[in-house]
Amino acid sequence: MPKSRTSSFTRRGFIAAGGALGLVAALAACGGTDSAKGDGGKDNGAAASGPWTFKDDLGKEVSTKSKPKNIVAFTGTAAALYDYGVSVKGVFGPTKTADGKPDVQAGSMDISKVEILGNVYDEFNVEKYAALQPELLVTNTWDGTYWYVPEASKDKILKLAPAAAISVGGDATLDKALERTADLAKSLGADMNAKTAVDAKARFEAAAAKVREATKANPGVKVLVGSGSADLFYVSTPDTSADLKYFKQLGVEFVTPEKLDEGGFFESLSWENAGKYKADVVLLDNRTGTLQPEELKAKATWAELPAVKAGQITPRVTEPIYSYAKCAQILEDLAKSIQNAKKVS
């Protein structure tokens, strides 16, 4: 289970715990590239033999003597690479639930075939990592740090292998995160011209168009992005998260909280005040460790929300798997929720 929420949460810890809601988005151009080129057109890939280099989103030129094969990655990043045909040896981050099933962030990966170095925030088995003889560590970055690499052991971890990070926070947008993840996958051997990859990107672009169409066909639908814990209900701002910023570009109208907590991602409300904002649709955080609709039934104020009464609740993939296939599904679900929503707020 992810780390439980506490009043002393850092922004980083809170996001990891599954309580922050805004993260990832803006898809102005709807699309990545088929090349693995970085700044200045430099080829970030590697020939069949010879050095491998990749300029990551921390501005670092990551290099190895040859194309890495022993790759260890944050679970969500590993899941995206898997969709492109790139496998990893080990993962860290939410990978399996308490009953042993794959966590939502594991995507389509067969988790029985990877070494799980840590399953919750701040957990990373350095000894197991070293035993894998890693050639490359890959993760995301929200704020200039390596996502899910524990602060206490990061120096030991980063000495064992080069690390590359893809930005999914700050100024990052959904289309850029998708493009950069595809660039990384290509540099590691993925065939971006394969039918599955081409079809996935086309599906994503079509899904973006569907969201635009839905918002135009059903204008005025208000969407609230929320996450529930035992004591608090978190309402996310659409202005600091990559996915939500992109959804706004597609025409989605969001509830914007008035008083953001430290970090600028959300407003935390006591359950007594959970009805502060009215909306027609609720996008509800789907991560392990957050309360889901069945559990939220016990919260009287949740049951009184207009969108909840109308049954207009859609899961929020708060930490997307950055492959076109997985993000296409997110957009398709969003389009349906907007298209079918009745104005109840």
Side-chain angles (χ1 to χ4, degrees):
M1 293 288 288
K3 191 175 181 181
S4 61
R5 298 179 180 82
T6 70
S7 59
S8 61
F9 253 9
T10 62
R11 182 179 79 175
R12 191 169 186 260
F14 183 84
I15 295 170
L21 305 150
L23 305 161
V24 142
L27 216 128
C30 285
T33 71
D34 281 336
S35 96
K37 296 193 176 189
D39 295 344
K42 179 176 180 180
D43 189 352
N44 287 325
S49 60
W52 174 88
T53 64
F54 184 84
K55 187 171 183 180
D56 78 352
D57 291 344
L58 295 177
K60 296 182 178 180
E61 195 79 26
V62 185
S63 62
T64 57
K65 292 181 179 180
S66 60
K67 185 168 65 181
K69 294 182 179 179
N70 287 355
I71 304 167
V72 173
F74 168 66
T75 302
T77 311
L81 293 176
Y82 179 88
D83 285 351
Y84 291 122
V86 178
S87 61
V88 303
K89 296 288 186 180
V91 296
F92 54 96
T95 306
K96 64 180 179 180
T97 58
D99 58 3
K101 295 180 180 178
D103 187 274
V104 64
Q105 293 192 58
S108 302
M109 279 195 305
D110 183 347
I111 63 173
S112 69
K113 294 183 178 180
V114 293
E115 182 77 50
I116 300 174
L117 305 177
N119 198 52
V120 297
Y121 190 66
D122 259 356
E123 180 180 86
F124 193 117
N125 191 312
V126 181
E127 289 73 23
K128 284 185 178 181
Y129 178 56
L132 290 175
Q133 297 182 315
E135 297 172 306
L136 178 68
L137 182 146
V138 181
T139 187
N140 296 332
T141 181
W142 292 100
D143 55 5
T145 60
Y146 294 101
W147 189 231
Y148 264 81
V149 174
E151 187 68 24
S153 54
K154 71 174 184 178
D155 290 342
K156 292 180 181 178
I157 293 167
L158 297 178
K159 284 180 180 178
L160 292 171
I166 300 298
S167 181
V168 298
D171 295 331
T173 58
L174 183 59
D175 60 326
K176 187 62 175 178
L178 283 165
E179 178 184 326
R180 294 292 289 143
T181 303
D183 285 348
L184 176 62
K186 182 177 179 180
S187 79
L188 293 171
D191 181 2
M192 303 311 294
N193 293 316
K195 187 177 187 303
T196 53
V198 172
D199 288 352
K201 187 174 178 182
R203 178 186 170 193
F204 173 79
E205 292 170 347
K210 288 179 182 178
V211 176
R212 287 189 188 276
E213 292 166 3
T215 60
K216 290 178 180 178
N218 197 5
V221 171
K222 284 284 187 180
V223 177
L224 181 149
V225 183
S227 181
S229 72
D231 300 320
L232 297 170
F233 182 57
Y234 303 93
V235 178
S236 178
T237 174
D239 298 325
T240 55
S241 301
D243 58 337
L244 304 185
K245 286 187 289 183
Y246 176 55
F247 299 164
K248 279 186 70 174
Q249 290 187 353
L250 297 180
V252 178
E253 297 183 37
F254 286 101
V255 168
T256 300
E258 300 168 353
K259 188 177 180 181
L260 300 181
D261 293 4
E262 184 179 358
F265 279 102
F266 51 84
E267 178 178 354
S268 57
L269 302 171
S270 65
W271 278 109
E272 290 79 5
N273 296 312
K276 178 177 179 179
Y277 302 107
K278 300 296 187 291
D280 305 300
V281 174
V282 172
L283 290 184
L284 184 67
D285 191 345
N286 76 334
R287 286 176 295 175
T288 304
T290 64
L291 299 183
Q292 299 306 303
E294 279 299 315
E295 300 163 301
L296 287 169
K297 285 181 179 180
K299 306 291 186 182
T301 48
W302 165 262
E304 290 301 314
L305 293 177
V308 175
K309 283 185 174 182
Q312 295 179 169
I313 307 167
T314 298
R316 162 91 189 289
V317 183
T318 308
E319 290 190 58
I321 292 168
Y322 293 96
S323 70
Y324 286 107
K326 294 296 189 295
C327 288
Q329 184 66 59
I330 292 172
L331 293 180
E332 289 167 354
D333 292 342
L334 178 63
K336 288 179 182 177
S337 68
I338 300 295
Q339 181 179 340
N340 298 330
K342 295 179 181 179
K343 297 180 185 66
V344 295
S345 60

